[in-house]
Amino acid sequence: MPIFSLKENWSGKIIQLMNLFYLIAFLSIFFSLLVIFSKNPVYSVLYLIITFFTLTIHYILLNAQFLAIVNFIVYMGAIMVLFLFVLMLLNLNEDSEPMKSNLIKIAGVVAGLCLLVTLIGSFRALADSDPVILKKPEIGLVKNLGKVLFNEFLLPFEVSSVLLLSAMVGAVLLAKKEPKKI
Amino acid sequence: MELAFVIEKFALVIVIFSVSLGVAAYSTLAERKIAAYLQGRVGPARAGWGGMFQPLADGAKMFFKEEIIPTQSNHFLFIAGPSLALLTALIGSAVIPWGQPLTFGDTVIQLQVADINVGVLYIFGVVSLGVYGVMIGGWASNNKFSLMGAIRAASQNISYEIAMGLSIIALLMVTGSLSLKTIAEQQSGFVNWNVWVQPLGFLIFIICAFAECNRTPFDLPESENELVGGYHTEYSGFKLGAFLFAEYINMFVSGAVMSTLYFGGYNFPFMNNLLEMGVHPNLVTILGILFLLGKIFFFIFFFMWVRWTVPRFRYDQLMNLGWKILIPLSIANIVITGIWIVVKEIYFK
C-alpha cells in the first residue's frame, strides 16, 4: 500500500507542475504577442522583459537553475537595459513611426505563414510529443553543468568564447575614432 | 509540516523587511547627522532627543504632501517606476544568511529566507534589475532632465556591473561555491575572512557598489546642480520618498552582501572559543547577528563618510574609471587569483 500511495502522490505533483507549466506558457505567449502588437516601442521592450521573466520560470521548472539565473542576468538585466537605453535616446513615438507600404505588409504576412507551415511540418515529422523524462535531472545545477562544459564540451565552449571575444574586438574597432588623415 | 514551514519563512521575511525599512528610515537621520558633524554643524535636533523623531516627521511630511502626476507623462509607468525601485531594493535580502540556525529543542530555524545554490548570481541579477525603476520613472516623467538622469543611470549601471561581476568571479575561484550560506560558513573566525585573500577584489566590489547604489561620487543620475533633480525631478510626495528610500535600502542590502562575501558575515573573532567554553549556541547566534548588523552599519557609515568627502565625478571620468581602470584591474585580479591558487596547491600543501 505505501508504494501505491507514493505513486499517487507523485502523479498529483506532476499534475500540479503541468498546471503551472500551462499557466506560465500561456503568460509567455500572451506577453510575446503584446510585444508585437503594442504601438509604443518602449512598451514593446517592457513586455519583452516580462516574456524573458516567464522564460526564466520555465528554466526553473526544468531544474536548470544556472540557465535560469543567467537568462535573468544577461537578457533581463543587461540586453534589455541596452534596448531601453537606445529607445529612450531615440525617443520614438507613435507619430514618428514610419509608414510601411501595403506591399511590404502582405510580403511579411506571406513570409510568416510560410515559416509557420515549415515549422509545423518539421514538428509533424518528429514523433508525437510525450512527457520528457530527463536522463540526468541534476544536469542543470551549476556544479554538474560546469563539469560537463569543461570535460565533454571543452572545445565548443572555448571556441564560442573566442567567437565572443572577436565580436567584442570588432565592436571596439567600429566604435574607435578614425585618426585624421591630413 | 508544510504550513509550519510557510509560516516560519513568512515571519522571517516580515522581520527582515521591517528591519531593512527601519534601518533605511534611520539612515536618513544618520546621513544628516554625519553630514552635520563633518561640516561642523548640529544637524536635525528639534524633533525628539537629538532629532530621534526626525525620520517619523519626514515620513509624515512625505505622506501628506500633494502628489502631482504631470499631465504629459505616462501615468502607468510614472507610478510603476518608484514601485519597481522599492521592489528591487527589497528582494535582494532574501538570500543573505543572517546567522547560524537557531535551535529550540527539536525545531531548527534557519535564519536565511532561501538557500539557493546560485545565491551570488541571484544577488547579481537583482542588482542588474535595479536600474529599471530609475529608467522607467525617468522616461515616464516626459522631462528632458529626468530623461538625461535615466540614461546616465543606465549607462553607469551597465558599465560598473561588468567590473562587479569580474571581481565576484575572482572571489568564487577562492570559495568554490555560489551559495552564500556556504561562503559565510567557510569564513569562521577572523583569519579566514575573504577580504584577506581578495583585497583588490573587495576594493573593486565596493567601488562598483557605490556606483550601483547611485551614491556620491557616482550620483550623476540625480546630480542636482546640472539636472535639477535628475530622474526624480517630476516626482513629489511619497513617490519621491520611495525613490529616496530605495537608495537607503540598497545601501543596507549592499552592506549586508559585502559583509557576507568579504567580511565573514555573521562570524566574529573567537566565536568557536565561545562555543567551546559552553556558551549556549543560540546566544552565540544572536551575538553573530549583532556583529553582522555592526558590520553593515559600518559600511553604511562608510557610504556616508565618502559622500561628504569626495566630490562628484565628471561623466568622462566615470566612464574612464569603469572601463579603462576597473575592468582591466579585475581581469588582472582573476589571473593573479588563478596563479595564487595553483602555487598554493603545489607549494603549501
Side-chain angles (χ1 to χ4, degrees):
Chain A
M1 279 314 268
I3 299 165
F4 180 67
S5 70
L6 190 76
K7 225 174 181 177
E8 189 121 284
N9 202 6
W10 178 236
S11 67
K13 263 187 183 164
I14 292 227
I15 288 169
Q16 263 182 13
L17 271 179
M18 285 310 280
N19 285 340
L20 195 61
F21 168 76
Y22 284 129
L23 176 69
I24 304 297
F26 167 74
L27 285 179
S28 339
I29 293 169
F30 180 70
F31 282 113
S32 47
L33 284 178
L34 281 179
V35 174
I36 308 172
F37 290 126
S38 65
K39 290 270 182 187
N40 191 332
V42 171
Y43 273 15
S44 284
V45 171
L46 294 178
Y47 286 130
L48 194 54
I49 294 167
I50 302 176
T51 311
F52 281 133
F53 186 68
T54 56
L55 291 185
T56 302
I57 302 174
H58 277 304
Y59 284 130
I60 293 176
L61 283 181
L62 292 171
N63 206 17
Q65 299 181 2
F66 184 70
L67 211 55
I69 205 84
V70 165
N71 184 54
F72 192 83
I73 295 172
V74 174
Y75 282 92
M76 282 177 74
I79 293 180
M80 284 297 113
V81 172
L82 282 175
F83 267 54
L84 212 55
F85 178 77
V86 172
L87 282 178
M88 284 177 180
L89 265 181
L90 297 175
N91 211 6
L92 292 171
N93 289 321
E94 283 167 53
D95 357 302
S96 66
E97 195 182 354
M99 278 300 289
K100 294 185 183 81
S101 69
N102 278 335
L103 197 64
I104 295 179
K105 280 181 187 167
I106 293 168
V109 169
V110 170
L113 287 178
C114 285
L115 181 68
L116 187 69
V117 168
T118 321
L119 278 178
I120 290 176
S122 58
F123 278 122
R124 280 291 298 157
L126 296 170
D128 286 337
S129 69
D130 48 26
V132 182
I133 296 161
L134 285 174
K135 283 174 193 138
K136 293 185 222 162
E138 303 283 293
I139 193 73
L141 306 184
V142 187
K143 205 174 172 182
N144 307 325
L145 196 67
K147 277 182 181 156
V148 169
L149 275 183
F150 280 93
N151 289 322
E152 279 176 62
F153 299 102
L154 182 62
L155 186 69
F157 184 68
E158 295 292 337
V159 167
S160 61
S161 75
V162 171
L163 192 71
L164 283 177
L165 184 71
S166 63
M168 206 159 75
V169 171
V172 171
L173 207 68
L174 282 178
K176 222 175 93 178
K177 279 178 194 154
E178 291 279 333
K180 281 177 186 167
K181 290 171 190 166
I182 299 172
Chain B
M1 195 61 203
E2 198 84 340
L3 189 67
F5 181 76
V6 170
I7 290 172
E8 180 196 316
K9 291 295 179 198
F10 194 69
L12 190 62
V13 166
I14 287 186
V15 168
I16 291 173
F17 271 20
S18 38
V19 167
S20 28
L21 290 173
V23 169
Y26 272 86
S27 295
T28 60
L29 176 65
E31 175 112 80
R32 295 167 73 175
K33 278 288 186 188
I34 290 168
Y37 174 72
L38 290 174
Q39 296 167 351
R41 298 186 279 112
V42 180
R46 296 296 172 94
W49 178 79
M52 277 311 280
F53 300 121
Q54 189 66 39
L56 299 180
D58 285 343
K61 185 195 81 173
M62 288 284 187
F63 269 115
F64 290 119
K65 281 245 174 175
E66 185 188 356
E67 300 245 10
I68 299 166
I69 297 181
T71 45
Q72 290 297 307
S73 69
N74 189 322
H75 290 215
F76 177 71
L77 291 183
F78 191 78
I79 298 168
S83 327
L84 265 177
L86 210 53
L87 176 82
T88 50
L90 279 168
I91 57 177
S93 57
V95 291
I96 291 169
W98 298 95
Q100 285 167 320
L102 284 171
T103 43
F104 297 104
D106 290 338
T107 51
V108 177
I109 298 177
Q110 297 285 346
L111 292 182
Q112 185 184 18
V113 178
D115 177 29
I116 51 177
N117 60 9
V118 284
V120 178
L121 292 177
Y122 171 84
I123 294 267
F124 198 64
V126 170
V127 165
S128 62
L129 282 195
V131 69
Y132 280 121
V134 172
M135 277 184 90
I136 290 172
W139 180 80
S141 306
N142 200 12
N143 175 326
K144 53 188 152 198
F145 296 114
S146 304
L147 186 66
M148 280 302 291
I151 287 174
R152 280 184 181 187
S155 52
Q156 172 180 321
N157 279 41
I158 286 183
S159 310
Y160 281 79
E161 252 168 41
I162 301 170
M164 190 184 233
L166 290 173
S167 69
I168 288 180
I169 287 176
L171 178 77
L172 296 181
M173 286 163 73
V174 176
T175 59
S177 171
L178 282 168
S179 154
L180 283 172
K181 194 182 173 198
T182 319
I183 292 176
E185 278 166 2
Q186 283 171 353
Q187 307 179 63
S188 68
F190 185 67
V191 286
N192 290 332
W193 288 5
N194 283 330
V195 69
W196 310 130
V197 288
Q198 283 288 324
L200 184 60
F202 170 67
L203 190 68
I204 296 166
F205 191 92
I206 196 169
I207 293 173
C208 295
F210 272 88
E212 299 288 335
C213 292
N214 292 332
R215 292 286 299 182
T216 321
F218 299 98
D219 65 340
L220 281 105
E222 52 175 294
S223 55
E224 62 279 354
N225 41 14
E226 326 165 11
L227 295 182
V228 189
Y231 59 88
H232 55 60
T233 304
E234 294 285 354
Y235 280 90
S236 57
F238 203 73
K239 290 204 249 338
L240 174 69
F243 268 133
L244 302 182
F245 222 61
E247 182 181 322
Y248 287 99
I249 298 169
N250 273 328
M251 276 164 63
F252 177 71
V253 173
S254 61
V257 170
M258 281 187 281
S259 318
T260 311
L261 288 182
Y262 289 97
F263 281 85
Y266 50 78
N267 291 297
F268 54 91
F270 310 115
M271 187 158 113
N272 291 334
N273 300 34
L274 273 183
L275 281 174
E276 279 164 19
M277 274 160 58
V279 182
H280 197 269
N282 284 353
L283 211 63
V284 178
T285 301
I286 289 167
L287 213 57
I289 297 171
L290 292 179
F291 262 85
L292 177 60
L293 284 178
K295 287 168 192 170
I296 295 170
F297 291 154
F298 172 76
F299 278 118
I300 293 178
F301 169 71
F302 188 73
F303 272 104
M304 290 166 183
W305 188 11
V306 170
R307 173 169 181 178
W308 301 105
T309 313
V310 183
R312 180 182 302 135
F313 285 132
R314 242 177 23 232
Y315 193 70
D316 57 325
Q317 291 172 331
L318 173 100
M319 284 296 152
N320 277 345
L321 178 69
W323 289 94
K324 293 187 183 165
I325 300 176
L326 288 183
I327 292 179
L329 259 185
S330 47
I331 293 175
N333 188 35
I334 292 176
V335 175
I336 294 169
T337 310
I339 294 173
W340 183 76
I341 289 173
V342 173
V343 167
K344 204 178 103 178
E345 280 284 315
I346 297 173
Y347 294 106
F348 298 100
K349 260 256 159 148

